[in-house]
């Protein structure tokens, strides 16, 4: 049986809500502390690490290879919310699987088995790409600067958001519980809605960390942050109503 170690804020609550999702995987460790993971996991000799980082851009690129080496694990499945392409390209494809999260434990289980299967599959020969005929360049069209707050269909002037966003109502632990919640009827709205709220929360943080070239960039990123926070607050109200309707205890 494959041994799996889980590190992430939502994994423990997901396991409590849906322990059967990893029925043919031996979970040797689950927690939220990176330091505890470093100290306790190596002696358990997991085959695969599942690592959930909300902000992968802020994680030093040496952390994940170091965790693999310390634990002597064969593979790492790394979930994240948003990350720059340059950051994603720095990780070795053979040892590290990158997935945009949050993901359910059922999907994680599938990727655990696929990662182990990679060890026994022989690489297929790759044919050299055929260079297509060059296409003539398209002349760039002048783009007018975005006018924030100006009237018109291409602006956001018709949407009102609070100047000071409301703080998030749901923790990662609660969203993890909802991600694994199983209804008595064929309805997975709590699962999908929790993913939407988690994604909006993550993009709020991502937009605050974006690099700014000038004041115009700062205004755009501040606008993205406010509107995302407003959308997140609206979807949290919808999630509140759904949780109450389904009588879900968080």
């Amino acid at each position: 049986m494959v041994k799996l170690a889980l590190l992430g804020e939502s994994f423990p609550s997901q396991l409590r809500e849906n322990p059967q999702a990893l029925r043919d995987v031996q979970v040797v460790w689950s927690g939220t502390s990176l330091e505890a993971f470093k100290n306790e996991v190596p002696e358990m000799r997991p085959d695969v690490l599942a690592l959930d980082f909300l902000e992968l851009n802020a994680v030093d690129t040496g952390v994940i290879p170091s965790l693999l080496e310390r634990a002597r694990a064969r593979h790492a499945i790394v979930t994240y919310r948003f990350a720059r392409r340059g950051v994603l390209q720095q990780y070795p494809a053979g040892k590290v699987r990158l997935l945009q999260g949050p993901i359910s434990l059922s999907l994680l289980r599938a990727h655990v088995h696929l990662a182990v299967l990679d060890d026994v599959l022989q690489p297929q020969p790759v044919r050299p790409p055929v260079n297509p005929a060059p296409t003539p360049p398209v002349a760039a069209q002048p783009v007018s600067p975005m006018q924030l707050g100006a009237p018109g269909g291409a602006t956001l002037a018709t949407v009102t958001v609070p100047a000071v966003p409301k703080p998030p109502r749901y923790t990662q632990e609660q969203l993890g519980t909802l991600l694994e919640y199983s209804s008595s009827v064929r309805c997975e709205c709590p699962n999908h809605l929790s993913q939407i709220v988690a994604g909006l929360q993550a993009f709020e943080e991502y937009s605050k960390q974006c690099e700014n070239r000038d004041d115009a960039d700062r205004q755009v990123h501040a606008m993205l942050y406010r509107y995302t926070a407003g959308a997140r607050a609206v979807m949290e109200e919808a999630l509140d109503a759904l949780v109450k309707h389904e009588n879900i205890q968080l």
Side-chain angles (χ1 to χ4, degrees), residues 150-166:
T155 71
L156 302 173
T158 58
V159 180
T160 302
V161 295
V164 179
K166 296 179 181 179

Side-chain angles (χ1 to χ4, degrees), residues 114-133:
L114 286 172
V116 174
L117 189 61
D118 284 345
D119 287 340
V120 297
L121 291 178
Q122 296 296 321
Q124 298 297 317
V126 179
R127 294 183 179 180
V130 178
N131 294 326

Side-chain angles (χ1 to χ4, degrees), residues 26-45:
Q26 182 182 356
V27 178
V28 297
W29 194 92
S30 174
T32 61
S33 168
L34 179 59
E35 288 305 313
F37 186 94
K38 291 178 180 178
N39 294 330
E40 300 170 10
V41 168
E43 65 183 29
M44 299 176 182
R45 300 296 300 273

Side-chain angles (χ1 to χ4, degrees), residues 101-116:
I103 64 173
S104 67
L105 293 182
S106 298
L107 182 56
L108 175 62
R109 170 178 168 268
H111 279 280
V112 167
H113 288 301
L114 286 172
V116 174

Side-chain angles (χ1 to χ4, degrees), residues 210-222:
C210 281
E211 183 178 350
N212 297 310
R213 293 167 297 186
D214 48 35
D215 286 340
D217 273 7
R218 275 186 285 275
Q219 290 182 34
V220 169
H221 288 133

Side-chain angles (χ1 to χ4, degrees), residues 116-248:
V116 174
L117 189 61
D118 284 345
D119 287 340
V120 297
L121 291 178
Q122 296 296 321
Q124 298 297 317
V126 179
R127 294 183 179 180
V130 178
N131 294 326
T135 55
V138 179
Q141 299 297 320
V143 179
S144 58
M146 181 172 65
Q147 301 295 321
L148 300 181
T155 71
L156 302 173
T158 58
V159 180
T160 302
V161 295
V164 179
K166 296 179 181 179
R169 301 187 195 182
Y170 289 88
T171 66
Q172 292 299 313
E173 181 181 10
Q174 291 171 323
L175 292 172
T177 298
L178 292 169
L179 185 60
E180 300 297 331
Y181 177 77
S182 178
S183 176
S184 58
V185 296
R186 294 177 62 184
C187 170
E188 297 182 354
C189 289
N191 315 134
H192 300 310
L193 198 51
S194 67
Q195 284 183 306
I196 293 172
V197 171
L200 289 169
Q201 282 187 7
F203 192 74
E204 280 182 74
E205 294 303 314
Y206 178 83
S207 61
K208 289 193 296 185
Q209 306 300 324
C210 281
E211 183 178 350
N212 297 310
R213 293 167 297 186
D214 48 35
D215 286 340
D217 273 7
R218 275 186 285 275
Q219 290 182 34
V220 169
H221 288 133
M223 176 271 295
L224 291 174
Y225 169 73
R226 291 196 309 274
Y227 277 82
T228 304
R232 184 258 307 153
V234 170
M235 296 310 295
E236 283 179 336
E237 290 184 9
L239 187 54
D240 286 344
L242 182 61
V243 166
K244 183 178 180 181
H245 174 73
E246 293 283 350
N247 194 27
I248 302 173

